[in-house]
Structures are given as structure tokens and as C-alpha cells.
Amino acid sequence: MTTYGSFPGARPRRLRTTPVMRRMVAETRLHPADFILPAFVREGVGEPVPIAAMPGVVQHTRDTLKKAAVEAVEAGISGIMLFGVPEEEKKDAVGTTGTDPDGILQVALRDVRAEVGDELLVMSDLCLDEFTDHGHCGVLDDQGRVDNDATLERYAEMAQVQADAGAHVVGPSGMMDGQIGVIRDALDQIGREDVAILAYTAKYTSAFYGPFREAVGSSLKGDRKTYQQDAANARDAMRELALDLEEGADMVMVKPAGPYLDILAKVAEASDVPVAAYQISGEYSMIEAAAEKGWIDRDRAILESLTGIKRAGARNILTYWATEVARTLR
């Protein structure tokens, strides 16, 4: 080691001496505009329904969802991603309520868009899993397998009704081959070239989705390993990225975020469109549960986890703490 008169010659700690110094030299900064709030709206309830596995998160009524959207605007975050939870008896094999203009998700999109206009990007989950009685992200064939191409026809319909309901952005999350191209064509056919597509480009099958199943009232039978990505594979994500960009994705996403920071970094380095990451339900619940036990400092853990996602390359982060953290940052 080179020394200059005394040992040690280099003292990096000089740049860590005070809060102001650390703030000045910080390489990564969180900002309210980084965040998108995932929110659930449930049909047929008069009060918000707490999600036991996600303390602090609820299935909203239409009215409380509008209030949450206003709070998101006031906090300065960029978007709200809506998930609809229909009444159980309305689920069927093809997810009919997902393309019904009067289905819960479309009604919620109209509600929120009327409430906040263009002050918040109103985004919609474009997938069938919340609306099917089998809980899969697509239509099943006669052998019980997800039929990729039949599902694409349903996604095209969903894109059009969600755009008509007021979505600024649609988020296809089903991991069907060719979904971005089909959705782009469907939107363009009805003159909605202005609606952007946030592609769930690298969506891995994960144990961390567990609490989300409760949040959307999932009816899933089996698993999604035949269409979501395998946790062991990284090159697969880059192939999906190339395909999504070729098909017209405006933004791309990695999901989950925390366990896949290496994938996020690779995608961010290679992508010429904005990159998002979804800090999913299990990531949220682990921190909340550990904090409740007194094992970790909740607020510090939240900010550290989000900073790590941003540092890895995410332009935007979907997180259930979006509004809370944005208020703190402001």
C-alpha cells in the first residue's frame, strides 16, 4: 500500500464523517417520483378489508381507493398499479369479468382516473389470474395446461377495455410468449397509441408471492412454473428483454426485486427504456414481521431495501410502502 508520510495514506472515512457529508457524496438517492403504489380494490365490500399476511395493506373499497390515489398524488409518487378482486361467484374459466367494462378493475380505473386525472399515472394489471376460477394467468386447454395463444386473445381484449376505462399504462404480468406485441397491436387498433406498456419482462416463479395470493383472493390450483421464469436462470431474462423490446415495450420490469438484484442490474445495463422493479408482497411482509418482533429497525430496513433496488438499476420501484416513504423523503 502506498503511504504518504504516515500510515494509512488513504482515508475514505473522511467522506463519512457527518450526515451532511454522507448526503453530499451519496451515489444513489431515492425520490418520491421513483415510486409506484400497488393497490387492491375488492368488489362488494363496504369497508376496507385488512390483508392478514401484509400488515398495513388492505383490499380497498371503491371510495377508499380513490382516497389512496389522492394521498399518492399529495405524496408526489408517480403511479398507482391497480389489481381487481371480483366476487368469487363471478370467476370463471376464461376470466370473463376481466374484460367486462363493468368488471371491478375497469370500474376502479374509471373511478381513479376521474378522481386524479393526469396527476398520477393510473396503471392496470393486465392478467387473468384474479378473474379465473382456476387462478392461472391464462386460458386452459383440454389437458389443463395454459394455452399461450388463446390467452393472447384474451389479453388483447383486456388491453382494450382497460384503455377505454382510463389506464395510462397497462402492465401485462402473465409471461405469455408474444404478449407485448399482441397488446401493442390491440391498443393501436382502437387508436390508443398513447397508452404505454410496462412489460413484466423478467417475472420469476417465487415463494415470495405467498402473501399476494391472499391479497387478490387467488384461486390458484397448481403452480406457474411452466410460464414464469426459473430462479436458476439469468440468460433467460435477457432473452425475454430482447423480445419485449422488439415487440414494443415502453418500460420493462424485474419481479421480484430483492432476490433478483443481479438480474435487475443486467437488465438495467442492457435496456434502452426505463426499468422498474417490483418489491413484492413477501419482501414487504418479511420486513414488517421482523420489525413487529423487534428484530430489526423497520424504517431503516425499508429505506435500505429500496436503496438497494435503486442502486441495482431500477428507475422506478413498485412497493407497498410507496406513499409512506415518499412522505418521509419529502
Side-chain angles (χ1 to χ4, degrees):
M1 182 177 185
T2 303
T3 59
Y4 300 92
S6 63
F7 181 84
R11 295 186 183 272
R13 287 181 54 193
R14 294 190 186 104
L15 299 183
R16 306 169 195 156
T17 52
T18 69
V20 174
M21 176 68 83
R22 293 191 293 274
R23 185 182 67 198
M24 184 183 75
V25 302
E27 299 172 23
T28 305
R29 300 180 193 275
L30 295 172
H31 187 277
D34 296 338
F35 299 121
I36 297 164
L37 175 68
F40 309 99
V41 57
R42 180 169 171 177
E43 187 173 23
V45 295
E47 298 290 336
V49 178
I51 300 169
M54 300 176 69
V57 181
V58 301
Q59 295 171 326
H60 284 285
T61 69
R62 290 173 61 185
D63 285 339
T64 63
L65 178 65
K66 290 188 287 186
K67 181 180 178 183
V70 170
E71 292 173 348
V73 171
E74 293 170 347
I77 72 174
S78 290
I80 185 168
M81 176 67 79
L82 302 185
F83 297 84
V85 184
E87 293 176 317
E88 192 68 27
E89 61 269 20
K90 292 186 178 179
K91 297 181 180 182
D92 62 20
V94 296
T96 300
T97 192
T99 50
D100 180 351
D102 295 320
I104 183 59
L105 181 53
Q106 284 69 253
V107 169
L109 286 166
R110 290 195 292 271
D111 285 345
V112 174
R113 188 67 189 270
E115 189 75 19
V116 299
D118 293 333
E119 293 187 83
L120 186 70
L121 287 175
V122 181
M123 305 177 173
S124 55
D125 178 59
L126 200 164
C127 195
L128 289 170
D129 59 323
E130 296 102 309
F131 308 109
T132 55
D133 54 12
H134 48 73
H136 278 286
C137 297
V139 178
L140 303 185
D141 63 18
D142 56 7
Q143 297 183 56
R145 302 170 304 188
V146 174
D147 185 326
N148 190 94
D149 295 0
T151 299
L152 294 183
E153 294 180 20
R154 298 289 294 130
Y155 285 3
E157 295 178 60
M158 291 189 80
Q160 292 177 340
V161 298
Q162 289 179 359
D164 285 342
H168 293 101
V169 180
V170 295
S173 59
M175 291 300 290
M176 296 298 117
D177 294 340
Q179 63 183 12
I180 303 304
V182 166
I183 289 167
R184 183 72 271 158
D185 285 347
L187 291 169
D188 292 351
Q189 285 172 16
I190 62 169
R192 297 311 306 271
E193 296 89 351
D194 58 325
V195 174
I197 299 175
L198 170 57
Y200 283 59
T201 291
K203 183 178 180 182
Y204 284 86
T205 186
S206 174
F208 294 98
Y209 294 132
F212 184 87
R213 306 280 190 256
E214 178 188 348
V216 297
S218 176
S219 303
L220 181 64
K221 300 174 178 66
D223 58 52
R224 298 178 174 140
K225 293 179 181 179
T226 62
Y227 47 102
Q228 293 179 352
Q229 289 177 260
D230 191 304
N233 297 333
R235 283 193 293 269
D236 191 24
M238 305 313 293
R239 186 182 185 196
E240 293 280 4
L241 173 64
L243 291 168
D244 282 354
L245 294 177
E246 182 181 350
E247 292 174 28
D250 300 288
M251 299 171 278
V252 297
M253 187 196 297
V254 174
K255 180 181 180 180
Y260 296 91
L261 294 180
D262 60 325
I263 306 300
L264 175 58
K266 290 176 183 290
V267 169
E269 184 176 359
S271 176
D272 59 359
V273 302
V275 176
Y278 196 148
Q279 185 182 55
I280 67 169
S281 58
E283 298 175 73
Y284 173 94
S285 297
M286 286 193 301
I287 289 177
E288 291 286 355
E292 183 181 6
K293 290 283 190 180
W295 293 339
I296 60 173
D297 182 316
R298 176 185 181 273
D299 294 347
R300 285 183 60 195
I302 291 170
L303 288 176
E304 185 176 340
S305 68
L306 293 169
T307 299
I309 296 167
K310 181 86 180 283
R311 189 183 63 244
R315 175 83 59 85
N316 297 105
I317 304 171
L318 286 83
T319 176
Y320 300 98
W321 290 302
T323 300
E324 175 188 343
V325 172
R327 285 171 173 160
T328 300
L329 294 173
R330 297 186 74 171

